[in-house]
Amino acid sequence: MAQGLSSSSISTESSPRPVAVIDIGATSIRMAIAEIHQDDVRTLDTLVQSVDLGREAFDDRRLSRKSIEKTASVLKQYQRVLQEYGITSPADVRVVATSAVREVSNRLAFIDRIFVATGLEVEALEEAEVNRITYMGVMPHLMNQKKLADSKSVVVEVGGGSTELLVIRGGNVLHSQSYRLGSLRLLKTLETGRLTPLRRRSILESHIKRTLVQIAEQVNPDQKIQLVAIGGDIRFAAHRLLENWDGVSLAKLPTKDLANLTDQVLKLDEDEIVRQFGASFIEAETLVPALLAYTMLARHFELQHLYVCETNLRDGLLHDMAVGGSWTTEFRNQSVRSAVSLGRKFDFDEMHARNVAELSRKLYDQLQDDHQLDSRYEVILYLAALLHEIGMLINVRSNHKHALYVIRNSDLFGLSKIELLQVGLVARYYRRASPQSSHPEYGLLPREERVAVSKLASLLRLAIALADTRSGRIREIECEREGKRLVINVPGVEDVSLEQIAMRQNAGLFRDVFGMPVLLRSGK
C-alpha cells in the first residue's frame, strides 16, 4: 500500500515511530518490526515461527488446544522482542489472522484465549481486507512498469488456504475474488497413501484446473494478459532461478524456467527439497502445489513469462498503520468504481445517482461539526447514495429493502461484511421508515454503528430532496446555522419550490437525529 504515501499522509512527527505487525498464517506466524518516518516505512527486523494451524483448520474446521497454546507461546516470545525495541503500546502493534483462523468454528475462542494470554487483540482479516492491502501494495510496482500499467494485469497469490485474485487495468480493479484453492488444501488431496510422482501431479492438476476454469471466466482476455505472482513460494522460486534479482523490484521470470523447477520439486519429498534447494521445512511443505498452480496459470494464458512481486501482507499492514488506518483516496476511488459497475448491472439511473452522491458528500463535509464521523463514513455514505435505488429493477414498491439485500451480497471492492451492511442499511433507509431497533440488521449493530447509520441515512435523505427534480440543476449548496435550525442555501437557483416540498417530506429523520429542523432557501 505504498501508493499515495507522503510526508504529510504518513506522520507529522519528527521522530520515527516504532511499530510492528504480526501475521498468523496457516503454516507460520511472522512478525515485521518497522519505523514509520515522515516519508517512508523502514523495516527493521522480521521473525518467523512455524505452526500447523492450516492442517487442523482445513481438515477439522477447528483448532486444537495444543495449537492455540503454541500460538500463544510464540506471541509471548514476540512480545519480549517488541519490548527490546521499545514497542509496548497496543496502538503500535497490529495482529492479524488469515484463512486458517477465519474459517474455524472456534475462532472466537482462539481470539479470546490469545487476548487472555498476551493482551493482544487478534483481527481475523476478511478476504476483502486482504484484497485491499494486496492492491495498495502491488500498485506502485505495476505503475512503475509501463507495459504493466497499460495492460490487464492478473495479480495472484496462492496461499495456504486460498488463492487471492485481482484483475487490474490502468490502475482500476476490474475484478477481485478469493478461491478455495490453497497449497495446504491441495496437499490434503494427496493423503491417500504412497503415490508415484506422476499420479501425484495428476491429482494436483485436476484440482487446480477446476479453479483455473473459474478464473478464466472472470479474466476475459480481451487484450494482452500479464501475470503478477506474489507470495512466499513464488518468491522462493524467483530467488533460485534469477541470480541478479534484488528482491525489491519486479522480477521477470520465464515460464519455462518455473515449469522446469516445478518438475524437479514434484519428484522430491519435503526432506529432499530442504537438502537440495536450501528451503526451510515451512517452505518445503507448500512449495510443490503452489508452484504447480502458478505454472498452470501462466501456461493457461499462454504467457512466455510472469512477474514476481516482493510485496507481502505485512508490508501492506505497516503502510496501513502509517496512514492511521484511514482509507486512501485511491481506495475510495476503487470502491466507487466498483459501486458504479454494480449499479450498471441493475440498470440504475447513473446521472441521478452520481448527483445524489455528490450532494451527500457536500452535506457530509459541511456538517462535519454536527455528525463528527471520520472519513471512512464519507465513503459509506457516498456508496449508499450511488446505490440507493439499485433495488428498483427487482421491485419498485419495496426497492429500499431489496437495495439492502443486493448490497449486502455484493462484492464492492475492499469492503468487509460489516461495511457492506452499513452501506446497505444507509441505502435501505433512504425512504419510508426510519431506522428501528426491531429491524433485524439494524438492531444487531453496536450502538456506535447504529448512530452512524442513522446520521448517514438522514444526510442521504436531504441529498435526495435536493435532487428531487432529477434534473441535476442543484449542484452547489451552502449550509449554515440560523438559531436552532439548519439552513441550506442553493446559490444560482432562483426557484426551489419543488425541492422545498421534498425537503419537508425528507428532513424528519435529520431533525430526529440532530435536533434541528431544515430550511431550504434559494440563492437569488
Side-chain angles (χ1 to χ4, degrees), residues 132-337:
R132 179 179 75 88
I133 292 171
T134 299
Y135 168 79
M136 300 305 289
V138 78
M139 272 309 297
H141 296 280
L142 300 186
M143 300 313 290
N144 285 337
Q145 293 261 353
K146 188 177 188 307
K147 188 173 184 179
L148 293 177
D150 296 339
S151 63
K152 182 183 287 187
S153 296
V154 180
V155 182
V156 179
E157 178 174 11
V158 180
S162 61
T163 291
E164 307 297 335
L165 176 82
L166 287 174
V167 183
I168 302 171
R169 181 171 58 198
N172 297 325
V173 176
L174 305 180
H175 181 72
S176 63
Q177 192 164 337
S178 180
Y179 300 89
R180 290 175 64 83
L181 176 77
S183 52
L184 290 179
R185 293 191 202 273
L186 286 169
L187 287 174
K188 190 178 185 314
T189 66
L190 301 177
E191 295 176 358
T192 57
R194 295 185 62 85
L195 298 170
T196 65
L198 186 61
R199 178 58 179 158
R200 188 179 175 206
R201 180 176 195 133
S202 176
I203 293 174
L204 291 173
E205 286 183 341
S206 66
H207 286 277
I208 294 171
K209 282 178 181 176
R210 296 174 191 171
T211 302
L212 270 177
V213 171
Q214 299 175 46
I215 291 175
E217 292 175 352
Q218 299 297 337
V219 170
N220 184 22
D222 54 348
Q223 66 179 98
K224 180 67 174 177
I225 297 293
Q226 302 294 343
L227 181 63
V228 180
I230 61 177
D233 296 298
I234 195 65
R235 289 196 301 270
F236 176 89
H239 278 295
R240 275 138 191 87
L241 293 172
L242 304 172
E243 294 182 2
N244 298 321
W245 185 37
D246 58 12
V248 177
S249 58
L250 274 179
K252 190 174 181 179
L253 181 61
T255 301
K256 64 178 182 179
D257 292 347
L258 176 61
N260 290 336
L261 178 62
T262 302
D263 291 341
Q264 292 179 52
V265 296
L266 270 165
K267 300 172 184 177
L268 307 175
D269 61 27
E270 292 174 14
D271 290 336
E272 291 171 325
I273 293 174
V274 170
R275 287 196 302 271
Q276 290 193 30
F277 295 96
S280 67
F281 281 99
I282 297 174
E283 293 169 326
E285 183 179 31
T286 60
L287 196 62
V288 169
L291 294 190
L292 183 59
Y294 288 119
T295 300
M296 291 178 66
L297 268 169
R299 284 178 165 171
H300 179 83
F301 292 115
E302 300 180 348
L303 301 176
Q304 297 299 311
H305 61 265
L306 64 155
Y307 292 90
V308 179
C309 185
E310 178 67 16
T311 190
N312 58 55
L313 181 63
R314 292 170 299 288
D315 294 334
L317 291 168
L318 286 170
H319 283 88
D320 204 34
M321 293 181 74
V323 298
S326 62
W327 288 352
T328 64
T329 300
E330 184 55 38
F331 169 68
R332 179 190 186 280
N333 293 341
Q334 289 299 334
S335 296
V336 169
R337 292 187 189 104

Side-chain angles (χ1 to χ4, degrees), residues 19-211:
V19 297
V21 293
I22 300 173
D23 170 19
I24 303 174
T27 60
S28 64
I29 302 175
R30 299 175 184 270
M31 179 168 73
I33 300 171
E35 284 183 340
I36 296 175
H37 293 256
Q38 288 188 341
D39 57 353
D40 70 345
V41 177
R42 183 164 64 92
T43 301
L44 304 176
D45 200 0
T46 57
L47 293 86
V48 58
Q49 286 279 347
S50 62
V51 290
D52 202 16
L53 303 182
R55 287 189 183 276
E56 291 184 353
F58 308 138
D59 288 357
D60 306 326
R61 311 287 294 177
R62 184 176 181 83
L63 297 176
S64 67
R65 182 186 299 273
K66 180 180 178 181
S67 291
I68 295 174
E69 294 304 318
K70 171 72 179 296
T71 302
S73 176
V74 170
L75 293 178
K76 287 178 182 178
Q77 295 174 36
Y78 284 178
Q79 283 183 310
R80 290 192 285 271
V81 177
L82 292 176
Q83 290 174 356
E84 294 175 3
Y85 279 93
I87 302 174
T88 56
S89 171
D92 293 328
V93 182
R94 188 173 179 188
V95 186
V96 303
T98 49
S99 58
V101 172
R102 183 175 64 232
E103 296 184 14
V104 295
S105 61
N106 60 338
R107 178 181 67 178
L108 292 180
F110 172 88
I111 292 172
D112 291 346
R113 174 58 190 143
I114 297 302
F115 179 76
V116 170
T118 66
L120 295 172
E121 294 270 8
V122 178
E123 175 188 357
L125 285 186
E126 291 186 22
E127 295 162 357
E129 179 76 351
V130 173
N131 285 334
R132 179 179 75 88
I133 292 171
T134 299
Y135 168 79
M136 300 305 289
V138 78
M139 272 309 297
H141 296 280
L142 300 186
M143 300 313 290
N144 285 337
Q145 293 261 353
K146 188 177 188 307
K147 188 173 184 179
L148 293 177
D150 296 339
S151 63
K152 182 183 287 187
S153 296
V154 180
V155 182
V156 179
E157 178 174 11
V158 180
S162 61
T163 291
E164 307 297 335
L165 176 82
L166 287 174
V167 183
I168 302 171
R169 181 171 58 198
N172 297 325
V173 176
L174 305 180
H175 181 72
S176 63
Q177 192 164 337
S178 180
Y179 300 89
R180 290 175 64 83
L181 176 77
S183 52
L184 290 179
R185 293 191 202 273
L186 286 169
L187 287 174
K188 190 178 185 314
T189 66
L190 301 177
E191 295 176 358
T192 57
R194 295 185 62 85
L195 298 170
T196 65
L198 186 61
R199 178 58 179 158
R200 188 179 175 206
R201 180 176 195 133
S202 176
I203 293 174
L204 291 173
E205 286 183 341
S206 66
H207 286 277
I208 294 171
K209 282 178 181 176
R210 296 174 191 171
T211 302

Side-chain angles (χ1 to χ4, degrees), residues 34 57 117 161 200 266 297 301 317 384 387 409 411-412 417 430 442 466:
R200 188 179 175 206
L266 270 165
L297 268 169
F301 292 115
L317 291 168
L387 299 173
N409 292 279
D411 288 318
L412 295 183
K417 292 179 181 177
Y430 93 89
Y442 179 79
L466 290 167

